[in-house]
mmCIF file of all heavy atoms in Angstrom:
data_model
loop_
_atom_site.group_PDB
_atom_site.id
_atom_site.type_symbol
_atom_site.label_atom_id
_atom_site.label_comp_id
_atom_site.label_asym_id
_atom_site.label_seq_id
_atom_site.Cartn_x
_atom_site.Cartn_y
_atom_site.Cartn_z
ATOM 1 N N THR A 323 -119.712 -82.517 -82.969
ATOM 2 C CA THR A 323 -118.680 -81.575 -83.457
ATOM 3 C C THR A 323 -118.794 -80.260 -82.800
ATOM 4 O O THR A 323 -119.901 -79.649 -82.832
ATOM 5 C CB THR A 323 -118.804 -81.463 -84.992
ATOM 6 O OG1 THR A 323 -118.514 -82.688 -85.661
ATOM 7 C CG2 THR A 323 -117.839 -80.399 -85.525
ATOM 8 N N LEU A 324 -117.766 -79.784 -82.184
ATOM 9 C CA LEU A 324 -117.687 -78.428 -81.614
ATOM 10 C C LEU A 324 -117.069 -77.491 -82.600
ATOM 11 O O LEU A 324 -115.964 -77.741 -83.130
ATOM 12 C CB LEU A 324 -116.850 -78.493 -80.334
ATOM 13 C CG LEU A 324 -116.533 -77.154 -79.688
ATOM 14 C CD1 LEU A 324 -117.816 -76.382 -79.260
ATOM 15 C CD2 LEU A 324 -115.619 -77.304 -78.471
ATOM 16 N N ALA A 325 -117.792 -76.396 -82.944
ATOM 17 C CA ALA A 325 -117.319 -75.413 -83.926
ATOM 18 C C ALA A 325 -117.401 -74.005 -83.389
ATOM 19 O O ALA A 325 -118.294 -73.644 -82.684
ATOM 20 C CB ALA A 325 -118.150 -75.577 -85.198
ATOM 21 N N MET A 326 -116.373 -73.204 -83.791
ATOM 22 C CA MET A 326 -116.312 -71.820 -83.443
ATOM 23 C C MET A 326 -115.777 -71.025 -84.649
ATOM 24 O O MET A 326 -115.133 -71.587 -85.516
ATOM 25 C CB MET A 326 -115.381 -71.597 -82.240
ATOM 26 C CG MET A 326 -115.903 -72.212 -80.939
ATOM 27 S SD MET A 326 -114.739 -71.921 -79.604
ATOM 28 C CE MET A 326 -115.654 -72.745 -78.265
ATOM 29 N N PRO A 327 -116.014 -69.699 -84.636
ATOM 30 C CA PRO A 327 -115.470 -68.888 -85.763
ATOM 31 C C PRO A 327 -113.973 -68.946 -85.787
ATOM 32 O O PRO A 327 -113.289 -69.128 -84.791
ATOM 33 C CB PRO A 327 -115.954 -67.452 -85.436
ATOM 34 C CG PRO A 327 -117.116 -67.689 -84.554
ATOM 35 C CD PRO A 327 -116.822 -68.860 -83.729
ATOM 36 N N LEU A 328 -113.423 -68.851 -86.987
ATOM 37 C CA LEU A 328 -111.935 -68.916 -87.144
ATOM 38 C C LEU A 328 -111.216 -67.838 -86.362
ATOM 39 O O LEU A 328 -110.136 -68.052 -85.888
ATOM 40 C CB LEU A 328 -111.615 -68.681 -88.634
ATOM 41 C CG LEU A 328 -111.847 -69.867 -89.592
ATOM 42 C CD1 LEU A 328 -111.717 -69.454 -91.005
ATOM 43 C CD2 LEU A 328 -110.863 -71.032 -89.258
ATOM 44 N N ARG A 329 -111.917 -66.690 -86.086
ATOM 45 C CA ARG A 329 -111.237 -65.585 -85.412
ATOM 46 C C ARG A 329 -111.309 -65.732 -83.896
ATOM 47 O O ARG A 329 -110.810 -64.875 -83.192
ATOM 48 C CB ARG A 329 -111.854 -64.253 -85.857
ATOM 49 C CG ARG A 329 -113.360 -64.168 -85.630
ATOM 50 C CD ARG A 329 -113.915 -62.928 -86.359
ATOM 51 N NE ARG A 329 -115.370 -62.851 -86.273
ATOM 52 C CZ ARG A 329 -116.192 -63.487 -87.155
ATOM 53 N NH1 ARG A 329 -115.639 -64.238 -88.079
ATOM 54 N NH2 ARG A 329 -117.454 -63.334 -87.026
ATOM 55 N N THR A 330 -112.032 -66.751 -83.397
ATOM 56 C CA THR A 330 -112.133 -66.965 -81.958
ATOM 57 C C THR A 330 -110.793 -67.373 -81.402
ATOM 58 O O THR A 330 -110.103 -68.236 -81.913
ATOM 59 C CB THR A 330 -113.155 -68.026 -81.614
ATOM 60 O OG1 THR A 330 -114.403 -67.624 -82.158
ATOM 61 C CG2 THR A 330 -113.289 -68.210 -80.105
ATOM 62 N N GLU A 331 -110.350 -66.711 -80.327
ATOM 63 C CA GLU A 331 -109.080 -67.017 -79.663
ATOM 64 C C GLU A 331 -109.333 -68.043 -78.587
ATOM 65 O O GLU A 331 -110.380 -68.182 -77.988
ATOM 66 C CB GLU A 331 -108.491 -65.771 -79.021
ATOM 67 C CG GLU A 331 -108.146 -64.658 -80.078
ATOM 68 C CD GLU A 331 -107.535 -63.442 -79.376
ATOM 69 O OE1 GLU A 331 -107.426 -63.469 -78.146
ATOM 70 O OE2 GLU A 331 -107.214 -62.527 -80.114
ATOM 71 N N ASN A 332 -108.250 -68.872 -78.351
ATOM 72 C CA ASN A 332 -108.206 -69.844 -77.271
ATOM 73 C C ASN A 332 -109.368 -70.799 -77.295
ATOM 74 O O ASN A 332 -109.854 -71.237 -76.273
ATOM 75 C CB ASN A 332 -108.237 -69.069 -75.840
ATOM 76 C CG ASN A 332 -107.039 -68.173 -75.720
ATOM 77 O OD1 ASN A 332 -105.953 -68.466 -76.169
ATOM 78 N ND2 ASN A 332 -107.297 -67.038 -75.100
ATOM 79 N N CYS A 333 -109.793 -71.189 -78.507
ATOM 80 C CA CYS A 333 -110.948 -72.118 -78.530
ATOM 81 C C CYS A 333 -110.586 -73.519 -78.149
ATOM 82 O O CYS A 333 -111.503 -74.363 -77.970
ATOM 83 C CB CYS A 333 -111.555 -72.077 -79.978
ATOM 84 S SG CYS A 333 -110.481 -72.524 -81.270
ATOM 85 N N GLN A 334 -109.310 -73.844 -77.958
ATOM 86 C CA GLN A 334 -108.979 -75.170 -77.514
ATOM 87 C C GLN A 334 -109.228 -75.423 -76.054
ATOM 88 O O GLN A 334 -109.039 -76.516 -75.507
ATOM 89 C CB GLN A 334 -107.486 -75.421 -77.821
ATOM 90 C CG GLN A 334 -107.158 -75.555 -79.336
ATOM 91 C CD GLN A 334 -107.787 -76.721 -80.009
ATOM 92 O OE1 GLN A 334 -108.226 -77.680 -79.332
ATOM 93 N NE2 GLN A 334 -107.936 -76.693 -81.307
ATOM 94 N N GLN A 335 -109.657 -74.369 -75.298
ATOM 95 C CA GLN A 335 -109.936 -74.573 -73.886
ATOM 96 C C GLN A 335 -111.181 -75.384 -73.604
ATOM 97 O O GLN A 335 -111.387 -75.827 -72.485
ATOM 98 C CB GLN A 335 -110.070 -73.184 -73.214
ATOM 99 C CG GLN A 335 -111.328 -72.424 -73.693
ATOM 100 C CD GLN A 335 -111.454 -71.063 -73.002
ATOM 101 O OE1 GLN A 335 -111.518 -70.994 -71.748
ATOM 102 N NE2 GLN A 335 -111.484 -70.009 -73.796
ATOM 103 N N TYR A 336 -112.042 -75.566 -74.620
ATOM 104 C CA TYR A 336 -113.282 -76.327 -74.448
ATOM 105 C C TYR A 336 -113.120 -77.731 -74.842
ATOM 106 O O TYR A 336 -112.413 -78.026 -75.790
ATOM 107 C CB TYR A 336 -114.425 -75.633 -75.211
ATOM 108 C CG TYR A 336 -114.512 -74.130 -74.866
ATOM 109 C CD1 TYR A 336 -114.300 -73.172 -75.836
ATOM 110 C CD2 TYR A 336 -114.849 -73.750 -73.585
ATOM 111 C CE1 TYR A 336 -114.428 -71.853 -75.521
ATOM 112 C CE2 TYR A 336 -114.973 -72.431 -73.234
ATOM 113 C CZ TYR A 336 -114.714 -71.468 -74.248
ATOM 114 O OH TYR A 336 -114.844 -70.165 -73.964
#
Side-chain angles (χ1 to χ4, degrees):
T323 295
L324 171 61
M326 294 181 180
L328 284 170
R329 56 191 175 277
T330 302
E331 296 180 0
N332 301 322
C333 58
Q334 292 295 341
Q335 66 179 304
Y336 306 116

